[in-house]
């Protein structure tokens, strides 16, 4: 292509891709001309053609394609010629370039230097051509990358949509149990990108190419800009990279058509009358998939008349099975799902479902395994598959194979019978103990558990034979399971299910199961089928009873195997034993020494007076726990029952398995219910209720160490009420200490039966005392300490010098040496006020924090030593502690100087400020002593950061700013400069701290950068003057003028630093130069009072409403004056006044620079540090603004205030002050509105509020506030007000025609019909519909009500018909209590209900009761419908009754109770629900005052008797 031709001529205008010619086998993308004259590429035309018709994208002209379709259109020869010419020119330039390169190698250096300009031009041309080609290549590769990225996203979405559709279709054909499987599979789809590894590799490849090309382009641009850089890079390689064409064929674009390899397949089999379904998530090799619009259904299923049961199997790609398949209740549940309906499952139904089983292996009557007879065919199929696999050569062990504990292999159980087995124990040659992994060549003995039969078998490998013979013998008995076989056999769960005869224990529990019991049990069950009755489950064991028909007897009634074993005296039913001798107990814990510091972990907490600690410096307990787990886990896996406990006794030592599957040393403390025991963890202190099967006998080796948990209590504190600890205190104590490492000090000796009194500190003795923290938070209080005895602290030296002391300059060192000679109890600032090295000791906010000078550390040490010497020998004294008194405070076992913040009155707790640290603490008065006079003073200086103010226009610092500053600066070393020496506190300073890289950063700048502070507006001109006589309130005026030495008579001296209300002996300060800003004394008057309106009605604008309930209004005349006033003020205030320090005591009227940057007239109300509270006198608004925005000058003094304060007539706020919600309501109704007001009374003071009454559309504002109960109004005032107020103004009479707007009148229905109950004493069947408490139920009498029909249909049929057309029923509009209606339930259907009450108004929600179920529900009006009258003819199915004969028992504090009925525990309610699952009959006891009945079970016994026997209820 010539340079004159436009490059856009060879690019398609629709897809912006270049036209290409056909070369060899590559089919080009030729330009083709439409009939309208527009030209597009072949690919675009193929994409926009539909049914041989193309619509031009530019002119939208439709044309019909010729017979050849798009390829039949005419090609544009001009563009093809341009493309061919450009290609020829390119080949010529490449040929010339190669010739030039060959020739250039023969040129000598001198010639090369002479032709350097020519070479530069050649380089520039080559680089330009290469860059142009590289830009095209980069654009093409970016397009490919975008295509791959978009394609990957579409690929993932397409696969996700396909898999979702398949999974959803499969799960829709399953029962409710499939939902759990479905959720698990859906969660796996989030990581579906990992399945497309080919596409991910292509993306990585194109990214690497793009990165290399971009790097080469960057190098080429630098060479183009500086040609001499050619000698520093390999230009040929760069040009080769830039000019390398993009081979589209090298990129595997077909990877976008690859599937993920995952698919959901639904299979079904229908042998005979049973239906077995299988829903599998299969993993296969990814295949190429098409992109159909309608995806075919990949699920295969067979029709059946019954709801199918489902086996859920998941085939994974794991090469290793980490644990054997389940053999307990989970497997039993799977088997029952195969052959029984879930609706009749034994745990959830009212009748027990039995199964026919065969006992495969017996350990003892409480440990045996069974097979389901119904699974016989599946067992045979499994055996055939295993036999086929074992005959393969791939399943033989080789020398390179290893065996792992827990892996699955094949073992020969009997001759010719191969079974699956789990490896339990492995013993290696020359090793005494079992190992986890062992090579096959070193295998000596292996123990297997046959998971399909429950049998344990040990295989011994003879070691005296040759290696080949031992391997051959091993393969005769064992075979390995490879990955393919494991995947195929994963469809079959373990066939053996572990069972136990419920509540059966050996006849002699101390000796265990006798041989006779095992023989008799094996003889009774035999090898024939027996009937299994599942009763419950205990972890991995089914608790059952076996029934067998007697052989040779006329009666075919089966007998219970449990009862038979009890009858022949080889077993008995479980009941707790009373020991005839005291059981062995653990050694008591070893108590630490008194007043000795040690570390411990708080392991369990009941309350602050009853908790357990565990000393952490004993390594024997760590080894004990590890040995316990190893020993008892191995015993459990191998099935040894010689350690089982069948009838535990109270006080017996044992080992218990907790819910975390770990074993702990424990002691039995109680028998709460059948087969349940309460145990105490002797090493941690917590109590747990466990099953008897979770207990094991303890070996002597674990009995040697004493108990680890020490029962303790916090000393010196008692509950606030003196009796019981509050829940808030206990929870706070748990958050402070539970499972945390603390420092403990024992404070006294007690007997072994009482808690050990201790003091608890966080981390170390210098950390917070937890007892004092509870007292500070008012969750506990100190108890009186003895005065005759003093307990010395365990640590002599207080750890308060942890921060390193930095060495200063020589002058600082010399100064500190001089200061060491004489005690300095009071802080004295040095002469040099810049770059002081300090330590931040406490932070309240950026405007108030305390520092310590590091050069005074030696003074601080001396003061602490003197405090310890003076105060340690003092006894508590009766001192009347007053505010600002100095004292010696005992804080964290260290005596410190303190100052009382307030008077100590009736309470024994005092708030003390630490003089040397600045923070405040609360202490008991017994921790206070009088401070010697020579130690009075403080070494902590209160400071404030200058040049910043709080962000957001607030008057105070936010909690975020304070917390952030405290987090980073507390205890940190810093450099400080005092900006302005002053006697006031806090002192303005600038503070610098080092960051992570060691640079000093301004703390003020840091707060500004974090958005927590703003820059303070600076005054343009600084005033440097000598102190002058100012207002008496200014502390600067107290600086003496003649307090100087002879050398510096004209220089002012710094005043001694002192806290308010304290007088110290004068200390001669060193003279220093400082600059003191003079304070200007000024006085202003108030603005003129407003013009009051006349009595009567008037239209006014409400401008503001104050927090005190005053309403500020402006007349229409004042509104016009306000506009003129603002223009006049802005014209007069064109520049900012000069900022000076003022005395605000005598300032009343002022000028305010508002947030709108305009000047306003104001009145100063209060000075608050750096902020002032002002009121805008022309609108009444009150704000807190920075003091720099206020100037003591009056604006337009001749104009009075424009707003008038008003107060409501005859009302007073509830509680004596206006509440926030009342003020908010008035602002919502009045502010910025023109309202009608009646002036009732004018004030005597022209600045006082006028008494008025506001009328809103004729309605009194006072009545509105009274209606909302914000104000109260006296009757006398109301009557007087009515006589004065004029009648409500006449409103327009609107003639509104409401005809046709009213809906049909709602039909008022009567109450529901109650069912007729039999006479008193007669029993009748009932069904429990709802349970409120164990003795308050809703029953449905079945006799005479179950089959009631009205108009030939039952209640369920009528409700089904009505729900099918529920939208035709109108919504409920009237809501009288007790009225019938139709209410929507959570399943989306409507049921009969009655209205109870309206629970909320906004939004409207109504409490209803479902009369056929007894449950309550709170619904919106949109879920309530008018009920047809025909439904009233059906009697209610839920009758509320009270069950007689029992009542609630007292519940403990730690027991969960029903929130709506605290007298009943949740445990009692759950037990009553279990008792009501069987067939229930009832008999009426009394009709009045409430319906009372007695409930009986199937055996004719009272239902509530088990509750009474278990202690969950008591007889009434």
């Amino acid at each position: 292509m010539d340079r004159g031709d436009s490059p856009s001529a060879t690019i398609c205008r629709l897809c912006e891709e270049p036209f290409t010619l056909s070369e060899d086998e590559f089919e080009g993308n030729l330009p083709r001309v439409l009939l309208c004259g527009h030209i597009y590429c072949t690919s675009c035309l193929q994409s926009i053609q539909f049914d041989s018709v193309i619509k031009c994208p530019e002119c939208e002209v439709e044309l019909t394609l010729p017979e050849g379709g798009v390829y039949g259109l005419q090609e544009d020869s001009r563009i093809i010629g341009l493309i061919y010419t450009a290609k020829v020119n390119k080949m010529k330039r490449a040929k010339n370039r190669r010739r030039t390169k060959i020739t250039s190698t023969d040129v000598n250096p001198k010639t090369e230097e002479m032709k350097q300009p020519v070479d530069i031009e050649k380089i520039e041309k080559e680089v330009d051509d290469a860059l142009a080609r590289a830009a095209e290549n980069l654009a093409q590769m970016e397009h490919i990358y975008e295509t791959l990225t978009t394609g990957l996203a579409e690929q993932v979405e397409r696969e996700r949509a396909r898999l979702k559709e398949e999974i959803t279709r499969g799960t829709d054909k399953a029962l409710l149990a499939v939902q759990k499987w479905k959720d698990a599979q859906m969660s796996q789809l989030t990581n579906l990108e990992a399945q497309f590894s080919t596409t991910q590799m292509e993306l990585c490849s194109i990214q690497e190419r793009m990165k290399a090309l971009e790097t080469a382009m960057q190098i080429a641009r630098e060479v183009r800009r500086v040609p001499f850089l050619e000698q520093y890079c390999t230009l040929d390689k760069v040009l080769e990279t830039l000019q390398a064409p993009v081979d589209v064929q090298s990129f595997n674009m077909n990877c976008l058509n690859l599937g993920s390899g995952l698919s959901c397949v639904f299979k079904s089999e229908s042998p005979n009358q049973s239906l077995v379904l299988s829903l599998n998530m299969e993993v296969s090799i990814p295949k190429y998939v098409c992109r159909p619009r309608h995806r075919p259904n990949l699920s295969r299923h067979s029709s059946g008349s019954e709801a199918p049961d489902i086996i859920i199997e998941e085939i994974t790609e794991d090469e290793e099975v980490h644990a054997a398949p389940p053999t307990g209740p989970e497997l039993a549940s799977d088997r029952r799902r195969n052959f029984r309906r879930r609706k009749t499952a034994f745990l959830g139904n009212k009748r027990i479902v039995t199964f026919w089983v065969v006992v495969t292996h017996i350990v003892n009557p409480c440990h045996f395994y069974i097979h389901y007879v119904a699974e016989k065919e599946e067992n045979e199929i499994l055996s055939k598959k295993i036999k086929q696999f074992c005959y393969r050569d791939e399943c033989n062990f080789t020398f390179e194979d290893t065996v792992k504990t827990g892996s699955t292999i094949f073992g020969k159980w009997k001759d010719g019978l191969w079974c699956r087995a789990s490896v339990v124990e492995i013993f290696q040659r020359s090793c005494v103990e079992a190992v986890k992994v062992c090579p096959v060549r070193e295998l000596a003995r292996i123990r297997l558990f046959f998971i399909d039969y429950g049998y344990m078998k040990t295989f011994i490998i003879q070691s005296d034979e040759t290696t080949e013979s031992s391997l051959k013998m091993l393969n005769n008995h064992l075979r390995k399971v490879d990955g393919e076989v494991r995947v195929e056999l994963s469809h079959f769960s373990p066939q053996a299910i572990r069972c136990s005869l419920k509540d059966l224990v050996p006849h002699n529990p101390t000796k265990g199961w006798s041989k006779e019991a095992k023989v008799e049990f094996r003889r009774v069950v035999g090898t024939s089928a027996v009937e299994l009755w599942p009763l419950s489950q205990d972890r991995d064991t089914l608790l059952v009873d076996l029934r067998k028909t007697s052989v040779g007897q006329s009666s075919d009634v089966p007998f219970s195997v449990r009862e038979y074993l009890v009858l022949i005296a080889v077993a008995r039913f479980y009941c707790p034993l009373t020991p005839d001798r005291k059981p062995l107990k653990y050694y008591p814990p070893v108590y630490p020494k008194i007043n000795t510091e040690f570390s411990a972990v708080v392991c369990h907490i009941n309350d602050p007076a009853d908790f357990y600690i565990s000393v952490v410096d004993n390594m024997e307990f760590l080894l004990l726990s590890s040995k316990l787990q190893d020993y008892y886990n191995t015993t459990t896996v191998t099935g040894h029952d010689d350690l089982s406990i069948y009838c535990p006794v109270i006080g017996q030592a044992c080992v218990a398995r907790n819910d975390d599957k770990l074993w702990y040393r424990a002691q039995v403390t109680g028998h709460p219910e059948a087969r349940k025991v309460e145990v105490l963890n002797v090493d941690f202190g917590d109590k747990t209720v466990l099953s008897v099967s979770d207990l094991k006998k303890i070996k002597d080796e674990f009995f040697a160490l004493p108990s680890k948990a020490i029962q303790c209590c916090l000393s010196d504190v008692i509950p606030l009420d003196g009796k019981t600890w509050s829940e808030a205190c206990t929870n706070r104590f748990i958050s402070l200490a539970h499972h945390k490492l603390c420092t403990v000090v024992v404070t006294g000796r007690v007997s072994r039966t009482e808690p050990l009194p201790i003091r608890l500190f966080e981390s170390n003795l210098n950390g917070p005392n937890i007892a004092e923290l509870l007292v500070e938070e008012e969750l506990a209080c100190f108890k009186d300490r003895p005065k005759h005895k003093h307990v010395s602290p365990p640590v002599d030296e207080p750890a308060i010098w942890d921060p390193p002391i930095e060495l200063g300059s020589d002058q600082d060192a010399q100064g500190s040496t001089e200061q060491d000679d004489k005690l300095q109890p009071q802080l004295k600032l040095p002469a040099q006020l810049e770059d002081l090295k300090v330590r931040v000791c406490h932070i309240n906010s950026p405007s108030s924090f305390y520092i310590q000078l590091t050069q005074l550390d030696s003074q601080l040490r001396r003061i602490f030593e003197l405090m310890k010497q003076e105060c340690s020998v003092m006894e508590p004294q009766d001192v009347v502690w007053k505010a600002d008194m100095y004292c010696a405070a005992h804080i964290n076992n260290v005596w410190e100087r303190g100052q009382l913040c307030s008077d100590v009155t009736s309470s024994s707790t005092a708030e003390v400020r630490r003089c040397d640290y600045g923070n405040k603490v609360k202490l008991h008065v017994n921790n206070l002593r009088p401070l010697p006079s020579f130690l009075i003073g403080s070494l902590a200086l209160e400071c404030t950061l200058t040049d910043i103010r709080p962000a957001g226009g607030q008057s105070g610092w936010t909690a975020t700013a304070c917390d952030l500053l405290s987090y980073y600066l507390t205890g940190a070393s810093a450099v400080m400069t005092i900006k302005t020496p002053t006697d006031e506190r806090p002192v303005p300073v600038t503070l610098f701290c080092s960051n992570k890289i060691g640079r000093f950063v301004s703390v003020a700048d840091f707060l500004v950068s974090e958005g927590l502070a703003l820059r303070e507006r600076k005054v343009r001109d600084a005033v440097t003057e000598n102190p002058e006589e100012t207002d008496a309130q200014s502390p600067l005026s107290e600086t003496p003028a003649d307090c100087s030495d002879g050398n510096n008579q004209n220089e002012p001296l710094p005043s001694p630093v002192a806290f308010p209300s304290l007088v110290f002996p004068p200390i001669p300060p060193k003279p220093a130069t400082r600059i003191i800003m003079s304070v200007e004394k000024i006085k202003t008057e108030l603005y003129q009072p407003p013009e009051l309106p006349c009595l009567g009605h008037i239209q006014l604008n409400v401008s503001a409403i104050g927090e005190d309930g005053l309403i500020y209004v402006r007349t229409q005349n004042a509104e016009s004056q306000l506009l003129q006033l603002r223009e006049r003020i802005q014209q007069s205030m064109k520049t900012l006044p000069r900022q000076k320090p003022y005395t605000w005591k005598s300032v009343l009227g002022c000028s305010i620079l508002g947030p709108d940057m305009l000047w306003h007239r104001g009145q100063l109300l209060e000075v608050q540090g750096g902020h002032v509270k002002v009121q805008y006198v022309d609108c009444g608004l009150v704000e807190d603004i920075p003091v720099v925005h206020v100037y003591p000058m009056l604006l337009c003094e001749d104009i009075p205030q424009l707003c008038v304060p008003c107060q409501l007539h005859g009302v007073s706020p509830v509680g004596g002050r206006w509440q926030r919600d009342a003020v908010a309501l008035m602002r919502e109704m009045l502010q910025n509105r023109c309202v009608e007001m009646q002036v009732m009374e004018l004030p005597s003071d022209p600045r006082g509020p006028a008494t008025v009454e506001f009328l809103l559309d004729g309605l009194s504002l006072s009545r509105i506030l009274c209606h909302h109960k914000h104000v109260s109004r006296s009757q006398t005032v109301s009557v007087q007000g009515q006589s004065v107020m004029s009648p409500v103004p006449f409103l327009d009479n609107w003639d509104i025609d409401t005809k046709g707007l009213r809906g049909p009148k709602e039909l008022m229905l009567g109450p529901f019909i109650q069912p007729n109950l039999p006479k008193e004493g007669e029993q009748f069947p009932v069904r429990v519909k709802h349970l409120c408490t164990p003795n308050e139920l809703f029953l449905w009498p079945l006799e005479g009500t179950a089959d009631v029909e009205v108009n030939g249909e039952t209640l369920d049929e009528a409700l089904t018909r009505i729900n099918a057309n529920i939208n035709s029923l109108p919504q409920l509009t009237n809501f009288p209590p007790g009225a019938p209606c139709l209410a929507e339930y959570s399943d989306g259907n409507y049921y009969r209900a009655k209205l109870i009450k309206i629970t909320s108004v906004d939004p409207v929600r109504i409490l209803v009761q479902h009369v056929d179920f007894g449950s309550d529900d709170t619904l919106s009006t949109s879920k309530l419908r008018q009920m047809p009258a025909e439904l009233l003819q059906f009697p209610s199915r839920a009758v509320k009754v009270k069950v007689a004969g029992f009542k609630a028992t007292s519940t403990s504090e730690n027991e969960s109770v029903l929130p709506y009925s605290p007298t009943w525990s949740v445990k009692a309610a759950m037990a009553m629900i279990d008792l009501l699952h069987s067939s229930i009959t009832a008999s009426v006891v009394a009709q009045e005052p409430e319906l009372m009945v007695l409930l009986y079970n199937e055996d004719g016994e009272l239902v509530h008797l088990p509750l009474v026997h278990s202690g969950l209820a008591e007889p009434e």
Side-chain angles (χ1 to χ4, degrees), residues 1228-1426:
E1228 182 180 357
M1229 292 187 298
L1230 297 179
Q1231 195 160 354
N1232 298 328
R1233 290 184 57 185
C1234 181
V1235 297
E1236 184 178 358
M1237 183 183 75
Q1238 182 174 0
V1239 182
M1240 309 296 295
E1241 183 180 354
L1242 296 177
S1244 57
D1245 183 5
R1247 300 184 185 275
T1251 304
V1252 299
E1253 185 66 56
F1254 288 92
L1255 300 176
L1256 301 176
D1257 296 334
L1259 186 61
S1260 172
L1261 176 62
S1262 301
R1263 293 181 180 273
I1264 296 175
L1265 295 176
C1266 289
H1267 173 72
H1268 289 278
K1269 299 181 180 180
H1270 292 315
V1271 298
S1272 59
R1273 188 170 186 175
S1274 62
Q1275 295 295 331
T1276 56
V1277 175
S1278 298
V1279 173
Q1280 295 174 1
Q1282 290 176 3
S1283 62
V1284 176
M1285 290 181 63
S1286 61
V1288 178
F1290 176 75
L1291 300 177
D1292 295 339
N1293 184 14
W1294 296 84
D1295 186 11
I1296 300 176
D1297 185 10
T1298 60
K1299 184 177 180 180
L1301 299 179
R1302 295 183 179 180
K1305 186 176 182 181
E1306 183 176 336
L1307 181 64
M1308 300 302 294
L1309 302 177
F1312 288 97
I1313 301 175
Q1314 296 298 326
N1316 295 325
L1317 300 179
K1319 298 180 181 179
E1320 296 182 4
E1322 296 183 4
Q1323 293 190 10
F1324 54 95
V1326 295
R1327 183 180 300 169
V1328 179
K1329 304 291 287 186
H1330 182 66
L1331 183 141
C1332 299
T1333 63
N1335 62 345
E1336 289 185 5
L1337 314 169
F1338 283 87
L1339 301 179
W1340 178 21
L1342 299 180
E1343 289 185 354
T1345 60
D1347 299 327
V1348 175
E1349 293 186 359
V1350 176
N1351 297 329
E1353 61 180 358
T1354 62
L1355 176 60
D1356 295 336
E1357 294 173 350
L1359 288 175
T1360 303
R1361 173 176 52 82
I1362 292 174
N1363 276 291
N1365 195 19
I1366 193 64
N1367 293 328
S1368 61
L1369 295 179
Q1371 292 187 358
L1372 203 64
T1373 56
N1374 294 326
F1375 308 100
C1381 65
L1382 288 178
E1384 184 179 356
Y1385 195 57
S1386 58
D1387 59 356
N1389 294 327
Y1390 284 78
Y1391 299 94
R1392 298 192 303 170
K1394 66 178 180 180
L1395 304 178
I1396 303 300
K1397 64 178 181 179
I1398 299 176
T1399 58
S1400 64
V1401 179
D1402 187 17
V1404 178
R1405 298 185 67 83
I1406 300 174
L1407 178 65
V1408 300
Q1409 184 183 79
H1410 296 278
V1411 298
D1412 296 323
F1413 300 95
S1415 58
D1416 297 338
D1417 203 354
T1418 303
L1419 304 173
S1420 60
T1421 56
S1422 61
K1423 296 186 178 182
L1424 300 177
R1425 302 278 181 173
Q1426 298 181 20

Side-chain angles (χ1 to χ4, degrees), residues 1002-1018:
S1002 172
V1003 176
D1005 294 342
F1006 171 73
L1007 292 177
V1008 173
S1009 64
E1010 293 294 328
L1012 300 175
L1014 298 176
R1015 291 291 182 188
E1016 191 67 79
R1017 299 178 181 177
K1018 297 183 178 180

Side-chain angles (χ1 to χ4, degrees), residues 71-86:
Y71 292 96
L73 294 175
Q74 181 181 357
E75 301 173 353
D76 190 277
S77 58
R78 183 183 63 86
I79 297 179
I80 293 176
L82 290 176
I83 297 174
Y84 183 80
T85 303

